[in-house]
Amino acid sequence: MRCEDIKRFASLYIDGEFDELEGARFEDHLEHCETCRDMIQSTRVFQQALVERLNPPRMPRAVRDRILEAVDAELSAAPRPWIWKVPMAAAASIVLAVGIYAALPGVGENAEAEEVETLVEESVAVHEAALPPEVEGNGDAVRGFLAEKAHLNLRPPIEENDSTRLLGVRLTRIGKSRAVLYHYLHNNRSVSVVQIPRRHLETLRGNRQLIPASTRVLYDGARRGYNITLFEGSGSTNTVVSDMPSRELRKLIPASL
Amino acid sequence: MSKRTAERKIVEQEFLPHLDSLHRYGLFLTRDTTMAEELTQETMLKAIRASFQYKEGTNSKAWLFRIMTNTFLNQTRRRKKIYELDEGTMNVEEEAEVGQVFVHSNQTPEQSFVTMLSKSKVREAIEKLPPEFRSVVVLADLEELSYKEIAEVLSCPIGTVMSRLHRGRKLLRTRLMSWALEMGLVKGVEEEDEPKETISLEDYRRSTGPTTDQ
């Protein structure tokens, strides 16, 4: 290694980005070169001094208390209508109960409304958290991943074109159902779609509904500053979340899926 | 364990220990105590609402910082005008030119002129960095996040993190040094950017004009 390389890669070394071997090669040079040793040392000392100068006391007590209070309020808020928030032992009877309810006029719709509410709430939370995709790439890469690695027979919910790009997907869960989170970029605005296999809703409805040929919008509204459209196609239920105007958002929904 | 208890456990064990760090990063992002408090609170609430997504072993610090960065960017997009006006006073190119001059102070490598500057001066220097440099410098030097984690927090490639960090640190150092010189805290001699010892033979030949082997 030459002094030049040392200078060029000093940050990598100081920031601890090198592996053991790389670090050892770097140190070999430092051992024999006083100039480089001094340079590294003074950079280190500069950074340490900077941190010491900036390290503020902990946050003010009053601020901490106010935030903790808000956190506590959020944690003890009345549970949202999450239907899977039921102890496992009771789960079987719930499925049965839903089956019966679904046969009664009006009650099945109530269960569906709750399901929609859940999907909307959790999809917004997922969009806000903006977790990075597990697989990056366009429709082809994503389809391959879903079929081969995740064994999910699902198709990307939004068509790709010049203004709409699929950036990648992430596997997640919504309640008991496996779900896929799609990251799209539409005219440079971020759009998330949470997709769950259709089976999940069918259980709820007692398998009585016919599979629609065209997509059906179940919810269209706004929440916490985002616009949301929830639609179902033949194989999946999809919740689209973005800060785009809802009219623009609706245009992304395919006629069939 | 009920879902509620599980939620509370995640919040207490994984989120709350980072509250100070988050608040500190919030202060550097917003440069305003009220806005920093709001941003910290908003970040915690968003994290709680998304906590069902949280898997054990996830890097909670990077995850929280990412939520905070995104929330901040969304807010500033909404107040875009104020933001642009504010940042318009910075001239990056001009600063980079200043950075070409390497200043040697009369100190040994064991000392740093930074310790002679007041805390508020150092803070001011960081706060005046353009936002894209400020974030990486704070995340790397104060919060000690790895390049990979920073890339995740800022949703950008690692290469971008490295170049921003390099430029940001250089800008910061140059500015602090010029203040220290102005205030007479250190005596310095200005030199060319590259210390003599690191100039290779090729560089040397190029700088002294055409050579015979051309």
Side-chain angles (χ1 to χ4, degrees):
Chain A
M1 256 194 174
R2 298 169 304 168
C3 294
E4 229 174 283
D5 298 324
I6 298 289
K7 192 167 190 302
R8 192 139 46 105
F9 303 120
S11 299
L12 284 167
Y13 173 69
I14 293 170
D15 292 333
E17 295 285 329
F18 278 152
D19 64 26
E20 223 171 288
L21 190 73
E22 288 165 332
R25 270 170 57 197
F26 209 88
E27 277 157 14
D28 259 358
H29 178 100
L30 294 185
E31 214 169 292
H32 301 107
C33 176
E34 200 188 337
T35 314
C36 286
R37 209 159 53 228
D38 284 357
M39 186 269 292
I40 293 282
Q41 179 63 10
S42 71
T43 310
R44 261 209 184 117
V45 169
F46 170 80
Q47 264 166 244
Q48 274 162 10
L50 196 69
V51 173
E52 273 161 30
R53 287 327 258 155
L54 285 170
N55 238 348
R58 293 156 70 91
M59 63 201 296
R61 174 134 229 145
V63 175
R64 169 176 286 270
D65 286 350
R66 281 197 293 272
I67 293 175
L68 289 180
E69 204 176 302
V71 164
D72 208 55
E74 180 72 27
L75 281 173
S76 26
R80 287 148 234 163
W82 290 344
I83 48 160
W84 59 82
K85 215 186 276 173
V86 177
M88 284 302 278
S93 58
I94 290 289
V95 173
L96 185 67
V98 168
I100 297 166
Y101 280 164
L104 302 167
V107 187
E109 281 144 40
N110 200 19
E112 186 179 304
E114 282 192 0
E115 175 74 17
V116 166
E117 169 64 25
T118 301
L119 274 170
V120 170
E121 259 308 308
E122 302 226 341
S123 301
V124 171
V126 169
H127 181 78
E128 281 184 333
L131 292 159
E134 274 171 72
V135 177
E136 290 180 15
N138 61 11
D140 292 335
V142 163
R143 264 188 293 270
F145 167 77
L146 290 178
E148 286 155 34
K149 295 272 163 29
H151 306 293
L152 279 169
N153 181 24
L154 290 170
R155 276 190 303 165
I158 295 179
E159 204 182 307
E160 289 177 87
N161 53 41
D162 287 344
S163 52
T164 314
R165 282 197 302 135
L166 178 56
L167 301 180
V169 293
R170 184 183 176 85
L171 295 180
T172 180
R173 294 194 84 81
I174 297 287
K176 280 185 204 146
S177 176
R178 293 176 76 189
V180 183
L181 168 65
Y182 293 82
H183 290 276
Y184 285 94
L185 207 59
H186 176 70
N187 293 331
N188 284 326
R189 306 286 278 274
S190 164
V191 179
S192 297
V193 184
V194 173
Q195 185 179 53
I196 58 169
R198 217 186 117 74
R199 258 194 330 276
H200 191 66
L201 269 190
E202 280 164 359
T203 320
L204 211 72
R205 294 182 188 140
N207 291 316
R208 293 186 321 127
Q209 293 222 341
L210 290 170
I211 293 169
S214 56
T215 52
R216 191 164 76 102
V217 172
L218 298 175
Y219 177 91
D220 202 6
R223 200 158 301 190
R224 296 209 294 274
Y226 298 99
N227 286 313
I228 302 118
T229 299
L230 192 156
F231 70 96
E232 62 178 357
S234 61
S236 62
T237 303
N238 304 273
T239 316
V240 191
V241 185
S242 173
D243 59 1
M244 292 191 322
S246 61
R247 238 182 318 143
E248 232 181 292
L249 198 66
R250 282 293 286 270
K251 284 187 200 149
L252 296 177
I253 312 302
S256 65
L257 181 70
Chain B
M1 204 188 324
S2 82
K3 198 173 167 112
R4 281 275 135 176
T5 326
E7 206 171 64
R8 191 170 280 275
K9 195 177 153 207
I10 289 176
V11 172
E12 280 169 5
Q13 294 182 356
E14 304 287 339
F15 298 173
L16 289 182
H18 302 301
L19 199 54
D20 278 310
S21 289
L22 274 176
H23 184 246
R24 185 165 50 204
Y25 180 48
L27 277 170
F28 279 112
L29 285 178
T30 62
R31 296 179 291 184
D32 179 278
T33 47
T34 314
M35 280 165 73
E37 181 181 340
E38 281 170 10
L39 182 61
T40 311
Q41 180 167 324
E42 185 68 20
T43 303
M44 286 306 288
L45 298 188
K46 280 184 180 175
I48 295 169
R49 284 174 203 142
S51 62
F52 63 92
Q53 290 282 315
Y54 186 87
K55 290 175 207 147
E56 227 171 290
T58 304
N59 183 337
S60 55
K61 190 172 179 181
W63 192 63
L64 290 167
F65 275 59
R66 186 179 162 95
I67 296 180
M68 178 171 267
T69 308
N70 287 330
T71 308
F72 174 71
L73 289 177
N74 276 335
Q75 285 173 358
T76 45
R77 248 208 305 272
R78 277 176 217 149
R79 310 180 188 131
K80 204 165 185 226
K81 275 197 173 144
I82 307 167
Y83 190 64
E84 276 177 351
L85 219 93
D86 190 14
E87 302 306 334
T89 55
M90 293 296 309
N91 186 337
V92 181
E93 296 311 317
E94 216 171 277
E95 292 287 348
E97 260 172 56
V98 181
Q100 290 303 309
V101 181
F102 189 84
V103 188
H104 263 319
S105 77
N106 53 352
Q107 291 180 300
T108 71
E110 308 303 324
Q111 301 170 294
S112 177
F113 65 92
V114 178
T115 51
M116 298 184 177
L117 289 161
S118 70
K119 286 190 173 188
S120 61
K121 264 301 187 204
V122 177
R123 173 163 281 273
E124 188 188 333
I126 297 224
E127 288 184 349
K128 278 194 172 168
L129 286 176
E132 67 269 33
F133 295 154
R134 204 190 317 148
S135 299
V136 280
V137 170
V138 169
L139 292 173
D141 289 347
L142 252 69
E143 303 304 338
E144 299 186 326
L145 261 53
S146 70
Y147 294 176
K148 187 169 170 279
E149 286 171 328
I150 300 174
E152 219 168 89
V153 169
L154 301 178
S155 319
C156 68
I158 289 189
T160 312
V161 171
M162 284 165 68
S163 69
R164 284 186 190 171
L165 189 57
H166 178 75
R167 292 183 66 193
R169 278 173 175 167
K170 197 169 169 185
L171 248 162
L172 186 63
R173 199 190 162 103
T174 310
R175 185 171 295 160
L176 287 169
M177 178 59 99
S178 68
W179 285 352
L181 283 167
E182 261 169 45
M183 288 187 270
L185 296 172
V186 286
K187 281 182 197 159
V189 267
E190 289 187 2
E191 282 183 15
E192 286 299 302
D193 186 29
E194 302 288 289
K196 286 186 186 79
E197 294 79 2
T198 66
I199 294 178
S200 67
L201 193 58
E202 289 85 5
D203 286 337
Y204 175 75
R205 280 180 184 154
R206 229 175 285 135
S207 69
T208 54
T211 53
T212 45
D213 58 71
Q214 269 191 337

